[in-house]
Amino acid sequence: KVVLSDRQKEVLGTLGYFGNERSYPEIAEHMNISLDGFQTHIHQIKKILNISGSGGKEQLIHYAKENNFIQYARVKNNR
């Protein structure tokens, strides 16, 4: 079973929500966290999910959508 912190769920859900529409820097800014902080969360999530190599972002987006992490996304009304 996969166990993620609330913040990791939020990061993964927000990434899944925006998909390839936005870059990591844009998503970090949207979430009001530093890019380094965002990338640290992404790195930890990849370790937990055993995701490595190229296509990691796409794998994370797919995982977030398939496992309903979108519900944890931090989304502003204006998107």
Side-chain angles (χ1 to χ4, degrees):
K1 184 180 175 188
V2 174
V3 178
L4 299 175
S5 71
D6 288 345
R7 187 61 155 174
Q8 289 170 333
K9 290 175 186 175
E10 183 182 5
V11 166
L12 184 57
T14 305
L15 175 63
Y17 179 84
F18 287 115
N20 287 312
E21 220 177 275
R22 295 197 181 178
S23 65
Y24 283 175
E26 290 171 322
I27 296 170
E29 182 179 340
H30 173 83
M31 294 183 70
N32 296 314
I33 60 176
S34 71
L35 178 57
D36 285 347
F38 182 82
Q39 289 178 319
T40 297
H41 287 301
I42 292 295
H43 177 75
Q44 292 300 321
I45 294 165
K46 283 180 172 180
K47 275 179 58 175
I48 292 167
L49 300 179
N50 199 26
I51 292 174
S52 62
S54 63
K57 181 178 181 183
E58 290 74 21
Q59 290 178 61
L60 287 173
I61 291 166
H62 178 76
Y63 186 88
K65 290 178 178 178
E66 288 291 310
N67 294 280
N68 201 28
F69 278 90
I70 306 301
Q71 67 180 320
Y72 301 109
R74 182 189 293 184
V75 181
K76 297 175 184 170
N77 291 335
N78 64 4
R79 211 176 152 180

